[in-house]
């Protein structure tokens, strides 16, 4: 993957998992761009999905990770930008296919749905799996933009 930082953002429901994933990213040797939130106080997930979308669109990061209670709300927010392909993933298989088939550039996780070890497995798979490419997948991904 490109040598830009990995951006990460969450709402209050995802902030603890975000902390664990930041540690994991650093342990894997990645620079991290933390877009917040910073604590357990209640915030609105669309603001953090939007911050991720702006970061990806501006090229400040090539890949991002977003976390809310389900991964759903924050991914809907991020996906409103045409440059973002955020995929809500629940395990290594959904993450691998989101990379191989959809060239997902943002991984969305639900902190209330999966445990920290599964989330770390998703993170590693997200970073290590290449887009499968080929005419069929490239044509479909191009239509997403
Ligand atoms: C916050 O309570 C919760 O609604 C949010 O984290 C997320 O799950 C929304 O999709």
């Amino acid at each position: 993957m490109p040598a830009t930082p990995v951006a990460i953002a969450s709402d209050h429901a995802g902030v603890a998992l975000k902390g664990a994933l930041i540690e994991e990213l650093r342990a894997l040797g990645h620079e991290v761009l933390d877009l917040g939130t910073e604590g357990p106080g209640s915030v609105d997930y669309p603001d953090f999905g939007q911050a991720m979308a702006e970061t990806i669109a501006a090229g400040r990061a090539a890949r991002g990770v977003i976390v809310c209670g389900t991964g759903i709300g924050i991914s809907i927010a991020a996906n409103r930008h045409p440059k973002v392909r955020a995929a809500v993933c629940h395990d290594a298989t959904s993450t691998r296919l989101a990379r191989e088939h959809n060239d997902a550039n943002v991984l969305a996780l639900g902190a209330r749905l999966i445990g920290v070890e599964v989330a770390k497995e998703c993170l590693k798979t997200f970073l290590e799996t290449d887009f499968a490419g080929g005419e069929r997948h490239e044509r479909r991904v191009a239509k997403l933009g």
Side-chain angles (χ1 to χ4, degrees):
M1 57 168 287
T4 57
V6 177
I8 190 162
S10 76
D11 71 354
H12 54 285
V15 73
L17 181 56
K18 175 167 74 70
L21 294 177
I22 288 173
E23 275 183 30
E24 184 70 4
L25 281 165
R26 291 193 174 130
L28 293 170
H30 294 280
E31 194 189 329
V32 178
L33 182 58
D34 185 355
L35 306 175
T37 188
E38 275 157 27
S42 184
V43 293
D44 297 337
Y45 59 80
D47 298 337
F48 294 88
Q50 170 74 16
M52 178 60 72
E54 285 169 6
T55 298
I56 296 287
R60 287 192 291 274
R63 298 275 183 92
V65 180
I66 48 180
V67 190
C68 68
T70 59
I72 296 170
I74 200 165
S75 67
I76 292 172
N79 274 324
R80 299 182 83 79
H81 195 288
K83 294 233 164 153
V84 172
R85 292 178 301 280
V88 185
C89 298
H90 298 110
D91 50 33
T93 304
S94 49
T95 306
R96 177 176 59 77
L97 289 168
R99 286 288 312 132
E100 287 180 351
H101 288 200
N102 314 116
D103 198 14
N105 54 6
V106 176
L107 171 67
L109 298 171
R112 292 175 178 161
L113 303 181
I114 61 170
V116 66
E117 291 307 320
V118 172
K120 284 184 193 173
E121 209 170 77
C122 292
L123 178 67
K124 275 196 79 182
T125 304
F126 175 66
L127 297 172
E128 288 171 2
T129 307
D130 290 328
F131 177 44
E135 199 277 324
R136 171 174 62 117
H137 293 309
E138 277 166 16
R139 182 184 68 244
R140 292 168 184 166
V141 168
K143 287 185 178 183
L144 294 173

